[in-house]
Amino acid sequence: MSYSLRALKTGTTYVLLVLASILLLFPFFFALSVALQGETVTPHFLPDLGNLDWSVFAKVLEQQPDLVRWTINSFVVSLVVTLGVIITSALAAYAFATLEFWGKSFFFLLALGTLMIPFEATIIPNFLFISHMGWIDSYQGLIAPFLASGFGIFLLRQYFLTIPHELYEAARIDGCGRTRYLWSILLPISKPALATLGLYTFLSTWNQFYWPLLVTDSSPWRTTQVGITIFHSNEVQILNTQMAATLIIILPTLIPLIFGQRQLVRGLTAGIFK
């Protein structure tokens, strides 16, 4: 009886997971279905499998040649911002978690306080600074305001605090300094937290719209979110090209998700088991 009950629970769990997966993947499959149906005003739920229009992706690149440049811009900006946030957050979190210095609590609360300030409140000072530096239409203007993150500092500090201090004491006995301990011991065993922070930062930066819209005037410097919005406004009735362009800019975001999935799951579940 217990075996049957356990099998029923397992089967129910898998059914619910399959239904949740279908629900989450439905927008992606529907966009692909619409993209392959050709130029139609009223697309169907499923395309005609014998008449799939795969050339729509080439048509999108012909109609909007800057789409590749927009994707490269978003990838470069997201990657650099992610690396910057991981570096600055790791260094600050290491200091707050392991070092003792004057004003430690104050500076940590100051870092946490940045989480309470909405981006809209700082966008004008940031824009004036970027404009004064002459960084309009540049990677510097897109990247500089986001190289540090209060959330990243908090996340890594909390993870570093879960690592026993005795590990550092043992490393110091073997002649390991603070820098080598951070680089050779602390960061390698913190891969789940680093992967979680990196993926969150990458996707957040990739999906930015308002800031790239402010600091980019020319088309070659736009990012995907700004460029695809303008492309959609120019192609109001051509649904297949809209969906094809959307799929093109979605695909690069799957790369970090696929390769970092294991570390992401470990980071999200860290600390829930005793």
Side-chain angles (χ1 to χ4, degrees):
M1 185 64 181
S2 60
Y3 175 78
S4 300
L5 182 60
R6 186 165 57 251
L8 179 61
K9 290 182 178 180
T10 303
T12 303
T13 301
Y14 278 109
V15 169
L16 293 176
L17 290 175
V18 169
L19 292 177
S21 301
I22 294 175
L23 183 63
L24 292 175
L25 293 175
F26 173 76
F28 176 81
F29 286 119
F30 183 71
L32 180 61
S33 174
V34 174
L36 298 178
Q37 291 181 31
E39 297 185 7
T40 176
V41 179
T42 57
H44 302 284
F45 179 73
L46 293 175
D48 182 6
L49 298 180
N51 190 26
L52 298 180
D53 183 16
W54 291 99
S55 64
V56 64
F57 297 99
K59 292 179 182 178
V60 169
L61 297 178
E62 292 177 0
Q63 295 176 9
Q64 188 50 262
D66 286 336
L67 184 61
V68 176
R69 175 63 187 269
W70 297 341
T71 305
I72 294 175
N73 289 344
S74 289
F75 192 83
V76 171
V77 171
S78 300
L79 183 62
V80 175
V81 169
T82 300
L83 293 177
V85 167
I86 289 178
I87 293 173
T88 56
S89 298
L91 293 176
Y94 178 63
F96 288 132
T98 63
L99 304 182
E100 294 296 334
F101 54 91
W102 180 87
K104 175 180 176 179
S105 299
F106 170 77
F107 288 113
F108 178 65
L109 291 176
L110 188 64
L112 288 182
T114 60
L115 299 177
M116 305 177 189
I117 303 175
F119 177 70
E120 290 77 9
T122 60
I123 196 167
I124 294 178
N126 282 331
F127 178 77
L128 292 177
F129 173 77
I130 295 300
S131 179
H132 177 73
M133 295 295 295
W135 289 349
I136 301 297
D137 283 340
S138 68
Y139 284 130
Q140 301 95 302
L142 293 167
I143 293 171
F146 307 100
L147 290 177
S149 168
F151 170 75
I153 294 173
F154 173 75
L155 177 66
L156 293 186
R157 174 188 177 272
Q158 297 305 111
Y159 193 90
F160 289 167
L161 289 176
T162 64
I163 299 174
H165 186 67
E166 290 76 12
L167 183 63
Y168 170 69
E169 297 295 337
R172 190 174 64 173
I173 292 175
D174 290 337
C176 182
R178 290 191 178 276
T179 303
R180 186 179 177 186
Y181 171 72
L182 171 65
W183 181 256
S184 301
I185 299 177
L186 191 59
L187 291 182
I189 63 179
S190 302
K191 287 182 179 179
L194 294 174
T196 302
L197 176 61
L199 186 58
Y200 171 81
T201 304
F202 186 92
L203 295 179
S204 298
T205 307
W206 183 278
N207 291 323
Q208 283 182 352
F209 174 78
Y210 194 28
W211 179 253
L213 180 64
L214 287 178
V215 298
T216 56
D217 293 331
S218 58
S219 179
W221 285 104
R222 290 172 182 153
T223 57
T224 54
Q225 303 304 323
V226 178
I228 203 66
T229 302
I230 298 175
F231 178 80
H232 284 179
S233 64
N234 294 334
E235 303 289 339
V236 178
Q237 298 297 329
I238 308 179
L239 297 179
N240 64 323
T241 56
Q242 293 185 29
M243 294 298 102
T246 302
L247 290 173
I248 290 175
I249 68 171
I250 285 177
L251 290 179
T253 63
L254 299 179
I255 297 175
L257 183 61
I258 293 173
F259 288 98
Q261 182 179 8
R262 178 177 299 179
Q263 297 296 337
L264 176 63
V265 173
R266 290 178 57 189
L268 293 176
T269 58
I272 65 173
F273 299 108
K274 191 173 181 180

